[in-house]
Amino acid sequence: MTGMSGQVWVSLISLGGVVLGGSLSYLVQHRTQLSAERAEQQRQQLALSEARRGERLALLERFVEVGAQAERSAFSRPSEWEDTDAWFLTTRDVMNRLWVAERLIRIQFPLPVHDAARAYSLDLNRTVWEGLPDGESVRDYLENNRLAFLDAARAVMG
């Protein structure tokens, strides 16, 4: 009976070692899988963040480009114009694109950036369509809100 009892103990110890080893193996694999999943989530989050940054940069470039075109329209504004003049037709297209770009800024950026873009757009709109009083400079009139927009965008983009 002692021989059999020893065999039972050896079998139980052996079984315990298999259970312990299997449990440790499971825990290590589970931890490794969780780490891999976390790393994949972080990679995807970083990729999404970079894609959004790229979209924002493209939108800023579009807004700045259209804003520059609108400024050129303001500088070349004739004292009198008709709805059929080339200046009006070109400027109307530019101002429509500026309106769209400004709305897209609102969608993609925090409100302080949009508020600055809006103020700059309103200045451009006034300057282009209404003109400025004699002696007032287009560049000087637009400078403050243009710089405020660029500063706000830079702060958000980092």
Side-chain angles (χ1 to χ4, degrees):
M1 182 119 145
T2 312
M4 192 165 151
S5 173
Q7 289 177 345
V8 170
W9 278 110
V10 169
S11 294
L12 287 175
I13 290 173
S14 178
L15 180 62
V18 169
V19 169
L20 180 62
S23 297
L24 289 175
S25 178
Y26 170 78
L27 289 175
V28 167
Q29 288 177 0
H30 183 67
R31 284 295 234 182
T32 302
Q33 183 180 1
L34 288 178
S35 291
E37 288 173 357
R38 264 189 252 117
E40 178 61 20
Q41 285 177 344
Q42 288 174 344
R43 187 195 64 73
Q44 288 177 356
Q45 193 69 20
L46 182 61
L48 180 61
S49 179
E50 286 301 314
R52 285 187 178 152
R53 180 175 170 73
E55 289 173 359
R56 282 179 161 189
L57 283 172
L59 185 55
L60 287 174
E61 182 179 358
R62 177 179 174 186
F63 184 80
V64 168
E65 180 182 332
V66 176
Q69 291 172 351
E71 284 191 33
R72 284 191 290 278
S73 291
F75 278 110
S76 65
R77 181 183 189 276
S79 56
E80 294 183 20
W81 43 271
E82 300 290 325
D83 290 355
T84 57
D85 291 347
W87 177 87
F88 172 78
L89 297 173
T90 301
T91 300
R92 181 183 61 189
D93 179 55
V94 167
M95 296 308 288
N96 286 338
R97 287 186 291 123
L98 181 69
W99 184 87
V100 170
E102 183 248 318
R103 294 319 186 270
L104 290 173
I105 294 283
R106 183 175 180 97
I107 292 170
Q108 288 284 333
F109 286 89
L111 284 178
V113 176
H114 172 257
D115 291 344
R118 178 92 174 130
Y120 177 52
S121 294
L122 290 173
D123 282 353
L124 280 167
N125 194 58
R126 176 177 180 245
T127 305
V128 165
W129 297 123
E130 298 172 20
L132 294 173
D134 286 340
E136 196 167 340
S137 163
V138 170
R139 187 191 71 74
D140 291 343
Y141 180 76
L142 297 173
E143 188 77 8
N144 289 337
N145 281 330
R146 181 188 330 104
L147 291 177
F149 163 71
L150 292 172
D151 291 344
R154 182 180 54 239
V156 167
M157 295 303 291

